[in-house]
Every structure is written in C-alpha cells, then in structure tokens.
Amino acid sequence: MRLSDQTLAQVRAPARRPAYDRAATRVGVVHFGPGAFHRAHQAWYFDRMLATDPGLAICAVSLRTPDLRDALEPQDGLYALAEKEADPTVQVIGAIKEVLVASEDPEAVFERLAQARYVTSTVTEKGYCLTTGGDLDLDHPDIRHDLDTPERPVSLIGWITEALRRRKISGVPSFTTISCDNLSDNGLKLRRAVVRFAEACGERDLAAWIEAEAAFPCSMVDSITPATDDALRVQVEAALGLADAWPVQRERFVQWVVEDRLGADAALFAAAGATIARAVAPFERAKLRLLNGAHSTLAYVGLGVGHETVSAAMADPRLAGFVERMMRQDVAPSLDAPELDVAGYIDDILTRFRNPAIVHKLSQIAWDGSQKLRFRLLETAAEALAAGRPVDRLAVGVAAWMRFVVRQSRAGAPITDPLAETLASVAAACDGSEADVARFLALESVFPAALANDARFRTTVVRAYAGLNTNPDTVLAL
Ligand code: CS2
C-alpha cells in the first residue's frame, strides 16, 4: 500500500505525521527546483510553519522533468524524510500540495505565481545563468530563449521576471523571493539578474518597480542531503508500513539563515527554527568556504585516491588532516564573522562529515565543479592572495578538480556539469603534464581573469597538479 492522504492515518508510530489538517492548507509558496535538498530542507521548515499558518503550503515547480510529479502525484504530494543518525527518525512531510511541470503547463504556474507570498528556489548554481562577475549572462542559451519568448520562460530568471510583470500590471504587490542555493550573496545576485533581464526586455518601468518593491532576502541553507537510494526506500517502507516512491534523507543538523526582510513573517520563520539575521553574508561565506570548500576538496582529492564517500575520505587521516588544516589555517582567516565561533563551527563540520549513518557519495559532490569552485575555493584564494596569505592548500582542490575532469574524460565516464562539452575538449588536449593547468585556467567562465593571471596562483596550482599525480602523500602533507 502506498503513502497518500487516504492512507496517512495508517502511518506507524514512531514515524511522525503532519501536525495540521492538510485539507485546510493553501498554496502560498512557489518553489522552483524541488530536488531532494528542497524537500529535506525548506519543505521541512514550511511543514512546521503550516501548523501556525495554513497559507504557506508549497506548489513545487519542476522546470523540465516530470519525474517528481509522477512520483508524488499518486501520493498527494506526501513523502517521508529520514534523519540519518545513530537514532534515526522518519517523518511524513505534508507541505507540498502539488507538483507542476513548468514546460507542460506554464499558465498553471503563472496562476500560482499570481497569488504567491513567497517564491523560493533551489536550481543549483548553474540555474542563475551568471557570468564569473556575478551578472546575468545575456548570452546564456536559456536567457536568450526567454528574451525572445518571455511568456514561455525556461529559466528561473525568466519565470520570476514575467511573474512580476504580470503582478505589476494587475496591481498586485510583489512576492518575496528567497534564493536557497549555495552562491555568495544569492539574493543580491538573483535580484540583480531579474532587474537586468527586465531591462534587457525593454521593460524599464518594471525594472524600477522590482528594484523599489520586491524583496530578495539573501539566505544561507545547510543540511547534508545524500541522494535517495534503495536502502532508504526499504528503511522508509519498514518505518511507515507504507511504500513511498521518492523519500528523502538528511542529517539531523539543519540550518536556514534568512535576511531580515520578511516583515511580519520573521517571527513565523524563527518559530520554525530559521535564523533571522540582519546580515547573512558572514554565515554564508563561512558555510560556503568551510563546509562546501572542504566538501569539494574531499570529493576531488578523495576520488583520486580511491575513496567513494565523505565518511570514508574522513577516515583517511591524510585527507582528514588536510581539510582540517585548510579550514583552520587558510579559510578561517578569510572570514569576517565576529558573531560566529569559527573554531567550534569547524569542529562541528568535521563531526558531521564523519557521521557513519550518512552515505554521502563523493561523486555526487563532484557534480558541476565548474559552477561550484568559484564560491567554494576561488573567492577564498583570491582574497588570500590579496592579503598576502599562502594559497597552497586552497590550490589542491582546484588542481584535483582538473585531474578529475581529465580522468573522467579518459575513462569515457560522464562529466555531470553544464560545461561538460567544453571540459571534454579541454581534457582531450591534456597530456597529464603541467601544461594542462593553463588550458583549464583559460576557461573564463570558471576562473576570473585576475586570478587565472596571478603568477602565484598559477604556480601553486601547477605544483599541486603535478604532485597529485606523482606523490599525493606529499601534497596531502601540506
Ligand atoms: C555539497 C552540498 O553536493 C555538494 O556540492 O557540498 O550539497 C552540501 O552537502 C550542502 O551544501 C550542505 O548544506
């Protein structure tokens, strides 16, 4: 028997059920990109808010694929969330009221957007279509498409801008848009991209209206969420006594820091466990540079020395020691976060990485490296260089990414990355020698020119690239 509104009452204890009447809830949030992270993170927060405010149910919008809709429609949007700890728990989340596939029914999505209080997004770094400078890339194929046909958008930016245009015309105030992706200054970048898009459409008044009226709070999101696997499906079915086609899992730790631009709803978010902050940047930088920077470094170096998961990489003292030194000695000095106990924060990250109940594949983290490196390692390296600090350890993750791309390409293995084709052609020209590094550094959409041309950076990446091949132990002893 399958999980649905009909069977919900049969869910076995101690698995938890929504603490509110689902029938009384109304859509107030439109979410773009309902992957596992959204369902394990923001949907859990809104699930908690629904007990107080029934107007914050979610309409989840998949931009392209029907998979999630097909899995959750027969379940009335219900699914299970498992917390993976020594004492695991399972709960049913009821916050997603419907899943729409934007490409199939755009007008239905616009209808929800016409009424929404919040628009949230987890479309990953690449979904923002930005240049390395952080501005909207007007040459991006999706943006070009949306500039040609703004009423049938395919990009997040196109969707938000057109929805706001329609609201302005109908005299409806703007919704609040919260980016939940791992980019620095995510709200500012999203707002700038939407304004730029409106201008590029020739909609100057709309651009001005958005600048004046629409809130795009920055937000930092955190919870380690490994992809769903069969072991999880089995665990969830045993816990619920019902089948769930697409449950999600995460660690118990969960954090959402949202910039204080939520008006009266700030208390609601806070009561659900979110942190409301005047400035999100210190939290965001600390998380991106420490946790995500260490994650990507573990992924590329770890895969290179034969590990498959984060906890396995952390059980290798060479890697555990290396990322700890990188965090404490190279990343921490780049953070300006007086309210954060950085040393304690690093301790907690290391403990979370070691969680034996979490099977987090390094190959999952390795995805989309061309989009992630900037926020995780390159911005830190650029600041370190400007301040005269060494970048030897920060360069190792970058060089390991290059090695990873070359290795995948030689093995004929897929590279999951929006730049996959470009990366494959760079890799094809590589011969394993130090000269490869220059080929990668020439990728303008990955490496800002100032960094790529910095002799100190180039030299350290070249040294790490050579060392990872000939003597990884020496590199990891840095
Ligand atoms: C990971 C993140 O896949 C990745 O790139 O680094 O998804 C990470 O697990 C989350 O940001 C944790 O909050």
PDB file of all heavy atoms in Angstrom, residues 17 21 29 41 56 75 106 113 117 136 156 158 204 211 218 249 313 316 343 380 388 418 438 457:
ATOM      1  N   ARG A  17       3.558  12.223  11.605  1.00  0.00           N
ATOM      2  CA  ARG A  17       2.702  12.715  10.523  1.00  0.00           C
ATOM      3  C   ARG A  17       2.585  14.233  10.632  1.00  0.00           C
ATOM      4  O   ARG A  17       2.863  14.786  11.693  1.00  0.00           O
ATOM      5  CB  ARG A  17       1.315  12.086  10.644  1.00  0.00           C
ATOM      6  CG  ARG A  17       1.275  10.655  10.164  1.00  0.00           C
ATOM      7  CD  ARG A  17      -0.082  10.053  10.398  1.00  0.00           C
ATOM      8  NE  ARG A  17      -0.247   9.699  11.800  1.00  0.00           N
ATOM      9  CZ  ARG A  17      -1.426   9.544  12.394  1.00  0.00           C
ATOM     10  NH1 ARG A  17      -2.535   9.725  11.731  1.00  0.00           N
ATOM     11  NH2 ARG A  17      -1.493   9.207  13.674  1.00  0.00           N
ATOM     12  N   ASP A  21      -4.085  19.962   9.684  1.00  0.00           N
ATOM     13  CA  ASP A  21      -5.052  19.389   8.756  1.00  0.00           C
ATOM     14  C   ASP A  21      -4.654  19.804   7.337  1.00  0.00           C
ATOM     15  O   ASP A  21      -4.770  20.971   6.961  1.00  0.00           O
ATOM     16  CB  ASP A  21      -6.444  19.938   9.133  1.00  0.00           C
ATOM     17  CG  ASP A  21      -7.509  19.535   8.118  1.00  0.00           C
ATOM     18  OD1 ASP A  21      -7.231  18.635   7.296  1.00  0.00           O
ATOM     19  OD2 ASP A  21      -8.604  20.134   8.163  1.00  0.00           O
ATOM     20  N   VAL A  29       3.474  29.373  -1.336  1.00  0.00           N
ATOM     21  CA  VAL A  29       4.888  29.345  -1.712  1.00  0.00           C
ATOM     22  C   VAL A  29       4.993  28.643  -3.060  1.00  0.00           C
ATOM     23  O   VAL A  29       4.434  27.558  -3.236  1.00  0.00           O
ATOM     24  CB  VAL A  29       5.722  28.529  -0.684  1.00  0.00           C
ATOM     25  CG1 VAL A  29       7.198  28.518  -1.066  1.00  0.00           C
ATOM     26  CG2 VAL A  29       5.520  29.046   0.731  1.00  0.00           C
ATOM     27  N   HIS A  41      14.812  20.204   3.261  1.00  0.00           N
ATOM     28  CA  HIS A  41      15.184  21.427   3.983  1.00  0.00           C
ATOM     29  C   HIS A  41      14.023  22.414   4.042  1.00  0.00           C
ATOM     30  O   HIS A  41      13.249  22.427   4.997  1.00  0.00           O
ATOM     31  CB  HIS A  41      16.432  22.026   3.315  1.00  0.00           C
ATOM     32  CG  HIS A  41      17.010  23.205   4.016  1.00  0.00           C
ATOM     33  ND1 HIS A  41      16.531  24.476   3.855  1.00  0.00           N
ATOM     34  CD2 HIS A  41      18.041  23.309   4.899  1.00  0.00           C
ATOM     35  CE1 HIS A  41      17.222  25.317   4.603  1.00  0.00           C
ATOM     36  NE2 HIS A  41      18.155  24.638   5.250  1.00  0.00           N
ATOM     37  N   LEU A  56       0.752  28.621   3.913  1.00  0.00           N
ATOM     38  CA  LEU A  56       2.120  28.504   3.395  1.00  0.00           C
ATOM     39  C   LEU A  56       2.440  27.121   2.850  1.00  0.00           C
ATOM     40  O   LEU A  56       3.560  26.626   2.981  1.00  0.00           O
ATOM     41  CB  LEU A  56       3.132  28.893   4.477  1.00  0.00           C
ATOM     42  CG  LEU A  56       3.266  30.408   4.704  1.00  0.00           C
ATOM     43  CD1 LEU A  56       4.240  30.708   5.838  1.00  0.00           C
ATOM     44  CD2 LEU A  56       3.735  31.115   3.426  1.00  0.00           C
ATOM     45  N   GLN A  75       0.731  10.187  -4.483  1.00  0.00           N
ATOM     46  CA  GLN A  75       0.880  10.264  -3.022  1.00  0.00           C
ATOM     47  C   GLN A  75       0.326  11.581  -2.473  1.00  0.00           C
ATOM     48  O   GLN A  75       0.579  11.926  -1.333  1.00  0.00           O
ATOM     49  CB  GLN A  75       2.362  10.111  -2.648  1.00  0.00           C
ATOM     50  CG  GLN A  75       2.953   8.786  -3.109  1.00  0.00           C
ATOM     51  CD  GLN A  75       4.409   8.570  -2.734  1.00  0.00           C
ATOM     52  OE1 GLN A  75       4.990   7.572  -3.163  1.00  0.00           O
ATOM     53  NE2 GLN A  75       5.015   9.467  -1.953  1.00  0.00           N
ATOM     54  N   PRO A 106       2.545  25.970 -18.400  1.00  0.00           N
ATOM     55  CA  PRO A 106       3.065  27.248 -17.894  1.00  0.00           C
ATOM     56  C   PRO A 106       1.988  28.137 -17.276  1.00  0.00           C
ATOM     57  O   PRO A 106       2.241  28.785 -16.262  1.00  0.00           O
ATOM     58  CB  PRO A 106       3.680  27.919 -19.126  1.00  0.00           C
ATOM     59  CG  PRO A 106       3.451  27.030 -20.279  1.00  0.00           C
ATOM     60  CD  PRO A 106       2.854  25.754 -19.815  1.00  0.00           C
ATOM     61  N   LEU A 113       1.879  31.777  -9.267  1.00  0.00           N
ATOM     62  CA  LEU A 113       2.784  32.910  -9.009  1.00  0.00           C
ATOM     63  C   LEU A 113       2.004  34.205  -8.795  1.00  0.00           C
ATOM     64  O   LEU A 113       2.459  35.100  -8.089  1.00  0.00           O
ATOM     65  CB  LEU A 113       3.776  33.067 -10.177  1.00  0.00           C
ATOM     66  CG  LEU A 113       4.870  31.996 -10.237  1.00  0.00           C
ATOM     67  CD1 LEU A 113       5.549  32.007 -11.606  1.00  0.00           C
ATOM     68  CD2 LEU A 113       5.914  32.211  -9.141  1.00  0.00           C
ATOM     69  N   ARG A 117       2.928  34.259  -1.838  1.00  0.00           N
ATOM     70  CA  ARG A 117       3.597  35.179  -0.899  1.00  0.00           C
ATOM     71  C   ARG A 117       5.111  35.045  -1.027  1.00  0.00           C
ATOM     72  O   ARG A 117       5.857  35.983  -0.855  1.00  0.00           O
ATOM     73  CB  ARG A 117       3.211  34.801   0.537  1.00  0.00           C
ATOM     74  CG  ARG A 117       2.186  35.709   1.149  1.00  0.00           C
ATOM     75  CD  ARG A 117       1.464  34.973   2.255  1.00  0.00           C
ATOM     76  NE  ARG A 117       2.192  34.967   3.514  1.00  0.00           N
ATOM     77  CZ  ARG A 117       1.820  34.230   4.560  1.00  0.00           C
ATOM     78  NH1 ARG A 117       0.772  33.435   4.490  1.00  0.00           N
ATOM     79  NH2 ARG A 117       2.493  34.298   5.695  1.00  0.00           N
ATOM     80  N   LEU A 136      24.028  38.791 -14.841  1.00  0.00           N
ATOM     81  CA  LEU A 136      23.268  37.914 -15.732  1.00  0.00           C
ATOM     82  C   LEU A 136      24.015  37.749 -17.056  1.00  0.00           C
ATOM     83  O   LEU A 136      24.456  38.732 -17.659  1.00  0.00           O
ATOM     84  CB  LEU A 136      21.874  38.505 -15.971  1.00  0.00           C
ATOM     85  CG  LEU A 136      20.943  37.646 -16.812  1.00  0.00           C
ATOM     86  CD1 LEU A 136      20.619  36.335 -16.121  1.00  0.00           C
ATOM     87  CD2 LEU A 136      19.655  38.405 -17.134  1.00  0.00           C
ATOM     88  N   LEU A 156      14.884  30.266 -14.405  1.00  0.00           N
ATOM     89  CA  LEU A 156      14.334  30.843 -13.172  1.00  0.00           C
ATOM     90  C   LEU A 156      14.164  32.351 -13.319  1.00  0.00           C
ATOM     91  O   LEU A 156      13.142  32.924 -12.924  1.00  0.00           O
ATOM     92  CB  LEU A 156      15.293  30.536 -12.001  1.00  0.00           C
ATOM     93  CG  LEU A 156      14.951  31.224 -10.685  1.00  0.00           C
ATOM     94  CD1 LEU A 156      13.714  30.601 -10.061  1.00  0.00           C
ATOM     95  CD2 LEU A 156      16.126  31.166  -9.713  1.00  0.00           C
ATOM     96  N   GLY A 158      13.774  34.147 -16.035  1.00  0.00           N
ATOM     97  CA  GLY A 158      12.651  34.456 -16.924  1.00  0.00           C
ATOM     98  C   GLY A 158      11.316  34.263 -16.218  1.00  0.00           C
ATOM     99  O   GLY A 158      10.403  35.088 -16.357  1.00  0.00           O
ATOM    100  N   ARG A 204      11.748  49.079 -18.702  1.00  0.00           N
ATOM    101  CA  ARG A 204      12.425  49.932 -17.715  1.00  0.00           C
ATOM    102  C   ARG A 204      11.578  50.182 -16.463  1.00  0.00           C
ATOM    103  O   ARG A 204      12.081  50.171 -15.336  1.00  0.00           O
ATOM    104  CB  ARG A 204      12.779  51.276 -18.335  1.00  0.00           C
ATOM    105  CG  ARG A 204      14.002  51.184 -19.174  1.00  0.00           C
ATOM    106  CD  ARG A 204      14.296  52.448 -19.939  1.00  0.00           C
ATOM    107  NE  ARG A 204      15.528  52.243 -20.657  1.00  0.00           N
ATOM    108  CZ  ARG A 204      16.730  52.400 -20.128  1.00  0.00           C
ATOM    109  NH1 ARG A 204      16.861  52.801 -18.889  1.00  0.00           N
ATOM    110  NH2 ARG A 204      17.818  52.173 -20.836  1.00  0.00           N
ATOM    111  N   GLU A 211      13.098  46.952  -8.431  1.00  0.00           N
ATOM    112  CA  GLU A 211      14.128  47.496  -7.532  1.00  0.00           C
ATOM    113  C   GLU A 211      13.502  48.133  -6.301  1.00  0.00           C
ATOM    114  O   GLU A 211      13.999  48.009  -5.193  1.00  0.00           O
ATOM    115  CB  GLU A 211      14.982  48.523  -8.268  1.00  0.00           C
ATOM    116  CG  GLU A 211      15.938  47.855  -9.225  1.00  0.00           C
ATOM    117  CD  GLU A 211      17.187  48.678  -9.458  1.00  0.00           C
ATOM    118  OE1 GLU A 211      17.023  49.790  -9.982  1.00  0.00           O
ATOM    119  OE2 GLU A 211      18.284  48.210  -9.115  1.00  0.00           O
ATOM    120  N   CYS A 218      18.748  37.541   1.128  1.00  0.00           N
ATOM    121  CA  CYS A 218      19.800  36.528   0.993  1.00  0.00           C
ATOM    122  C   CYS A 218      19.500  35.414   1.982  1.00  0.00           C
ATOM    123  O   CYS A 218      18.886  35.651   3.031  1.00  0.00           O
ATOM    124  CB  CYS A 218      21.164  37.113   1.324  1.00  0.00           C
ATOM    125  SG  CYS A 218      21.814  38.170   0.018  1.00  0.00           S
ATOM    126  N   GLN A 249      16.431  11.939   2.482  1.00  0.00           N
ATOM    127  CA  GLN A 249      17.177  11.727   3.724  1.00  0.00           C
ATOM    128  C   GLN A 249      18.144  12.875   3.946  1.00  0.00           C
ATOM    129  O   GLN A 249      18.612  13.506   3.002  1.00  0.00           O
ATOM    130  CB  GLN A 249      17.956  10.412   3.658  1.00  0.00           C
ATOM    131  CG  GLN A 249      18.937  10.350   2.482  1.00  0.00           C
ATOM    132  CD  GLN A 249      19.647   9.003   2.366  1.00  0.00           C
ATOM    133  OE1 GLN A 249      19.762   8.272   3.340  1.00  0.00           O
ATOM    134  NE2 GLN A 249      20.121   8.686   1.167  1.00  0.00           N
ATOM    135  N   ALA A 313      36.456   9.098   3.145  1.00  0.00           N
ATOM    136  CA  ALA A 313      37.570  10.044   2.952  1.00  0.00           C
ATOM    137  C   ALA A 313      38.031  10.586   4.308  1.00  0.00           C
ATOM    138  O   ALA A 313      39.224  10.756   4.552  1.00  0.00           O
ATOM    139  CB  ALA A 313      37.147  11.177   2.026  1.00  0.00           C
ATOM    140  N   ASP A 316      40.391   8.547   6.301  1.00  0.00           N
ATOM    141  CA  ASP A 316      41.778   8.540   5.810  1.00  0.00           C
ATOM    142  C   ASP A 316      42.483   9.726   6.465  1.00  0.00           C
ATOM    143  O   ASP A 316      42.170  10.885   6.171  1.00  0.00           O
ATOM    144  CB  ASP A 316      41.744   8.694   4.278  1.00  0.00           C
ATOM    145  CG  ASP A 316      43.123   8.702   3.642  1.00  0.00           C
ATOM    146  OD1 ASP A 316      44.105   9.033   4.348  1.00  0.00           O
ATOM    147  OD2 ASP A 316      43.203   8.393   2.439  1.00  0.00           O
ATOM    148  N   ALA A 343      36.088  28.356  15.252  1.00  0.00           N
ATOM    149  CA  ALA A 343      36.766  27.103  15.617  1.00  0.00           C
ATOM    150  C   ALA A 343      35.734  26.022  15.963  1.00  0.00           C
ATOM    151  O   ALA A 343      35.860  24.860  15.533  1.00  0.00           O
ATOM    152  CB  ALA A 343      37.707  27.345  16.790  1.00  0.00           C
ATOM    153  N   THR A 380      37.944  32.499  -1.995  1.00  0.00           N
ATOM    154  CA  THR A 380      38.831  32.455  -0.823  1.00  0.00           C
ATOM    155  C   THR A 380      40.279  32.651  -1.264  1.00  0.00           C
ATOM    156  O   THR A 380      41.044  33.402  -0.636  1.00  0.00           O
ATOM    157  CB  THR A 380      38.718  31.087  -0.113  1.00  0.00           C
ATOM    158  OG1 THR A 380      37.364  30.672  -0.114  1.00  0.00           O
ATOM    159  CG2 THR A 380      39.257  31.149   1.304  1.00  0.00           C
ATOM    160  N   GLY A 388      48.090  38.599   0.930  1.00  0.00           N
ATOM    161  CA  GLY A 388      49.450  38.081   1.067  1.00  0.00           C
ATOM    162  C   GLY A 388      49.535  36.758   1.816  1.00  0.00           C
ATOM    163  O   GLY A 388      50.597  36.371   2.304  1.00  0.00           O
ATOM    164  N   PRO A 418      27.371  21.613 -16.454  1.00  0.00           N
ATOM    165  CA  PRO A 418      26.837  22.342 -17.609  1.00  0.00           C
ATOM    166  C   PRO A 418      27.908  22.646 -18.654  1.00  0.00           C
ATOM    167  O   PRO A 418      27.585  22.868 -19.816  1.00  0.00           O
ATOM    168  CB  PRO A 418      26.272  23.626 -16.996  1.00  0.00           C
ATOM    169  CG  PRO A 418      26.855  23.722 -15.645  1.00  0.00           C
ATOM    170  CD  PRO A 418      27.199  22.339 -15.207  1.00  0.00           C
ATOM    171  N   ALA A 438      47.279  25.394 -17.618  1.00  0.00           N
ATOM    172  CA  ALA A 438      46.990  26.628 -18.359  1.00  0.00           C
ATOM    173  C   ALA A 438      45.732  26.475 -19.199  1.00  0.00           C
ATOM    174  O   ALA A 438      44.952  27.423 -19.364  1.00  0.00           O
ATOM    175  CB  ALA A 438      48.173  26.984 -19.253  1.00  0.00           C
ATOM    176  N   PHE A 457      49.152  32.145  -8.031  1.00  0.00           N
ATOM    177  CA  PHE A 457      48.088  31.144  -8.104  1.00  0.00           C
ATOM    178  C   PHE A 457      48.443  30.066  -9.130  1.00  0.00           C
ATOM    179  O   PHE A 457      48.370  28.872  -8.862  1.00  0.00           O
ATOM    180  CB  PHE A 457      46.760  31.819  -8.460  1.00  0.00           C
ATOM    181  CG  PHE A 457      45.586  30.884  -8.433  1.00  0.00           C
ATOM    182  CD1 PHE A 457      45.162  30.298  -7.249  1.00  0.00           C
ATOM    183  CD2 PHE A 457      44.893  30.566  -9.602  1.00  0.00           C
ATOM    184  CE1 PHE A 457      44.074  29.423  -7.213  1.00  0.00           C
ATOM    185  CE2 PHE A 457      43.811  29.693  -9.582  1.00  0.00           C
ATOM    186  CZ  PHE A 457      43.399  29.126  -8.389  1.00  0.00           C
TER     187      PHE A 457
END
